[in-house]
Amino acid sequence: MAPKLEDVHAKGKRYDWGFDYARPDPKFPTRYIIPPNGKDPFRIMMRGYAAMETEKDNRVYGGLDSDVRYRNANVAEPRFMEAMKFAVPAFTDAEYQAVTGAGFLVASVKNQEMRQGFAAQMLDEVRHTQLEVGLRKYYLKNYHDPAGFDIGQIALGNHPIGTLARASFQPFNTGDPIEVSMCLNIVLETAYTNPLVVALPQVAMLNGDHAMPTSFLSIQSDESRHMANGYGTLMCVVQEPDNIPFLQESLERHFWHQHMSMDTLVGVVSEYYAVNRPWAYKDVWEEWVVDDFVGSYMSRLSSFGLRPPDRLGEVARFVEDMHHSVAIALAAIWPLNFWRIDPMGPADYEWFENHYPGWTARYGGLWDAYRAMSDPSSGRVLMQELPALPPFCQVCHVPCVMPRIDAPETRIFDHEGKRYAVCSEGCEWIFRLNPKIYTGCAGWWERFDGMDLADVILALGYVRPDGKTLMGQPHLNPDRMWTIDDIRRLEYEVKDPLRA
């Protein structure tokens, strides 16, 4: 008679030993009391895990092979494919940071059952990284305009979107081990992977891209175990009443920070890089984050003393407008992008006005100007028309145009002799919690202050193989694309807005 899984799992987790011959101190100490008992709800055993993941990989790579045969990369809407040039490398950054985060938790949490769950997660995150690299290779080899896909991770590292990704995902593996799990397993994976890895593939399908859903829905099939890791960790530490204030502070911090990055990224891609839109992002956010995470998940924790994030109302207010502001800000600085941005047209205006009343009055004029300057014959770019470049938030690294570009809530202050900008009250609160975390990196504009725009583009490496045509373009027309010579004729000097 075959043994029961529960019995095998119970026996397996006893194969642990004490470290009386060494001191395995975690890289970062914890302020939490961690009881020795915890639960791995999925009771993962490596033999079953390997068989399950092998079957899923076979399905994904088989699906990509079918996409190659049917030439689906060039059936997809070019507007959406351009978004994949920056979105997929950003997701890969998240997966890689999560690999190290899960490993960090294995080494830091002295609870063998929880460690087994995190070990399986670490393998998952390696798999996800490989799937996304495979997806980018598919795009690179099969999409008619591969420029940007060929240098995706390097290009992301040089771009403001890349600093946003690092700021959002590095808390997966730095700091207090319990707060690492709070950021990774609870806030990002429980609250935000459904909009990111379930809802966004729906947009991809409606815009003709079959490869992205094939890869990302396979990734999401692992996320339920990662959510369970977070729930198991949380159920372990809530047993100690002294942990509750720390957990609440951690929830407040990571919920605000992940909202700034995830709501921006998914909102921009799903609405501004789609021709066919199945929903408005604010409705998806309401369903997955408010109803499921706050209404269902968080409500069950109230008996332990945990409450929903205090800034939930502020997040809801920002979700109405923030991605619209970031979308036009990215369009305004298009020469500094490594992807092309299609101007919004009459059908887009109608859709936005129907779902976000007042959109045309706030943003329509800026998109009109962007479209009018999209051809090199205009001799102008939208960033020249701005009174100043927007600084990037020192905490979350989004442009300081939040929540509305016509009514930003930017805060500029001095700290230890240097000037910093943050996008909101929430980010200033996070900065004040521990300024040392956020003062170690220079502002993005600070790196290029005083340089000609053409020289900045060359320094970033955002030119095509001919050495002169820009990767970024303010349209999707291949017949007349901007070159470095067009940009140099502008005689535009980049100025750090915080210097003045």
Side-chain angles (χ1 to χ4, degrees), residues 90-104:
F91 298 150
T92 307
D93 193 322
E95 307 292 3
Y96 183 78
Q97 299 285 5
V99 173
T100 57
F104 170 49

Side-chain angles (χ1 to χ4, degrees), residues 2-49:
K4 294 181 179 179
L5 173 62
E6 292 85 351
D7 296 336
V8 175
H9 188 267
K11 185 176 181 179
K13 71 183 181 182
R14 292 201 300 268
Y15 284 88
D16 196 12
W17 54 88
F19 292 91
D20 52 359
Y21 58 88
R23 288 179 55 106
D25 294 330
K27 182 178 180 181
F28 299 98
T30 182
R31 58 179 177 172
Y32 293 79
I33 302 169
I34 306 178
N37 299 320
K39 293 293 184 182
D40 168 21
F42 274 80
R43 296 189 174 95
I44 291 296
M45 301 298 292
M46 286 300 125
R47 179 182 296 176
Y49 171 86

